[in-house]
Structures are given as C-alpha cells and as structure tokens.
Amino acid sequence: SQQGEEDPQALSIQEGENATMNCSYKTSINNLQWYRQNSGRGLVHLILIRSNEREKHSGRLRVTLDTSKKSSSLLITASRAADTASYFCATDLGYTNAGKSTFGDGTTLTVKP
Amino acid sequence: DTEVTQTPKHLVMGMTNKKSLKCEQHMGHRAMYWYKQKAKKPPELMFVYSYEKLSINESVPSRFSPECPNSSLLNLHLHALQPEDSALYLCASSPSRYRENSPLHFGNGTRLTVT
C-alpha cells in the first residue's frame, strides 16, 4: 500500500465548521507536506512540517505530526465553501530518496454553504 | 494562476499519434517533475530531472519520453499510447531535488484522452 494513507476518504461539513483529516505513513520521514487540489486543477502546497516539529499553523490551517505514531492531521478551522477540494499529504523520505515525494490517497472535502 | 505553465490544457490523441506536452517555469528551479494522476487517485511520480539531467525514471513505459531542453522547460513526448494512459499529467518544479524541506510547485496539468 502507499506510504501515505488518509482518512476519511470523503468529508462533508457545513460552512463555519471545522474539518479534520488524517494521514498515516509507514517509514521514517524527513518532512510531511499537505497539498490542496481543486477539481481538475494542479496541486497547491499548503504547509510543510519537518520531522522534528510537532505542530505548525498557517492562517486557518493547523497541522500536527506524531512521528511515534507515524501520523499527521490537518485541521481547517471555520471552513468556507471555497475550501471544497481534495487534500493530499505527501511524505519526503530524505536524501537517499530525494525528489520521490509519495502522495497519500487523499481526502475529498465538501463544504456546504 | 500558477508559476508553472503547462500546455496544452486538454489533448485528445489517437493511439497512433505522436504528441508532446510542455511545461515551463521561470522561478530558477533546477528540479522538474512529471506526475500522472488518474481520476480520484493521488499523483504518481513518473520522471525527475535534476539540473537538466534525468535523475529518476519510475519504470515508465518507453511510449513516454521526457526531455529537458533547458532549465526552464520540460517536455513529455507521447507515442503509441493506450487508452489506459488517459489521465491528468502534472508538471512540478522545486529549487533542487536535494534541497530539503522544499515543497513542489505544480502546474494545472494537461488532461489527456487517448482514443
């Protein structure tokens, strides 16, 4: 199976609610990144968390990383209809596998107005 | 709009056609990538170029032929494709393949349909 696996596969919430999605991975990582993809478009980088960091914030986004559990979570607070998209985590395994970021299966988020 | 430009946005080709996908970036990045993405699936790495040299080939069939003419351009030449090759082809760049903690910058992709 893939290095990154995400749950839930799909999430539907009302505008203003918080959305949490999770990513699990199997091997040691150098960093973990979260990307957003609007339908039929390219991926947009949201936030990168290094293996020695536990939490990172960017605007309405909060990412946590638990290397002991090999998992990360992305929290979007006060969601908006414009947050509707697919969200992917990607893991960077470090120098020997440099350039080989591996993407999780993704979570499809729908925010209803 | 992204800083990585891909053309064309859409491409329909027959199995006997030869076509090329193009990608351009002017951020001074020295690593460029091709990913393939099927519907409702994550992107899958195909090729990585580092300083204009092919650095990673993820066992991609030879009907896909990448080319990096200079540090700003990346092409993907297509020949004798199969219908199952229909997908969104994404180009990405980063400052360097080996620079740690550098995210990928993606283009908006080329939607390829093979008939």
Side-chain angles (χ1 to χ4, degrees), chain A residues 3-93:
Chain A
Q3 164 74 340
E5 297 181 2
E6 294 174 67
D7 78 272
Q9 287 188 325
L11 180 61
S12 182
I13 59 175
Q14 293 294 135
E15 210 166 26
E17 294 180 339
N18 295 342
T20 299
M21 50 205 91
N22 304 295
C23 169
S24 61
Y25 55 92
K26 298 188 189 314
T27 61
S28 296
I29 61 172
N30 190 48
N31 66 59
L32 187 144
Q33 305 144 52
W34 284 91
Y35 291 83
R36 183 188 75 230
Q37 184 177 34
N38 290 88
S39 182
R41 309 275 285 182
L43 284 76
V44 175
H45 176 253
L46 296 176
I47 199 163
L48 181 151
I49 187 164
R50 302 177 188 189
S51 59
N52 62 353
E53 297 176 313
R54 292 297 165 258
E55 189 171 310
K56 208 161 179 182
H57 297 255
S58 177
R60 294 184 295 112
L61 306 180
R62 173 178 169 252
V63 168
T64 61
L65 179 65
D66 187 334
T67 52
S68 67
K69 294 181 180 177
K70 292 187 170 60
S71 68
S72 173
S73 68
L74 170 67
L75 168 67
I76 303 174
T77 60
S79 63
R80 305 166 181 168
D83 294 328
T84 294
S86 292
Y87 292 82
F88 294 93
C89 66
T91 50
D92 178 348
L93 303 183

Side-chain angles (χ1 to χ4, degrees), chain B residues 19-44:
Chain B
K19 296 285 185 184
S20 296
L21 310 184
K22 296 186 185 301
C23 174
E24 189 169 3
Q25 58 88 15
H26 294 288
M27 295 178 282
H29 289 176
R30 302 311 297 272
M32 296 186 78
Y33 309 75
W34 281 114
Y35 282 84
K36 173 182 177 180
Q37 186 179 27
K38 302 284 276 185
K40 300 190 185 303
K41 294 291 187 184
E44 294 180 353

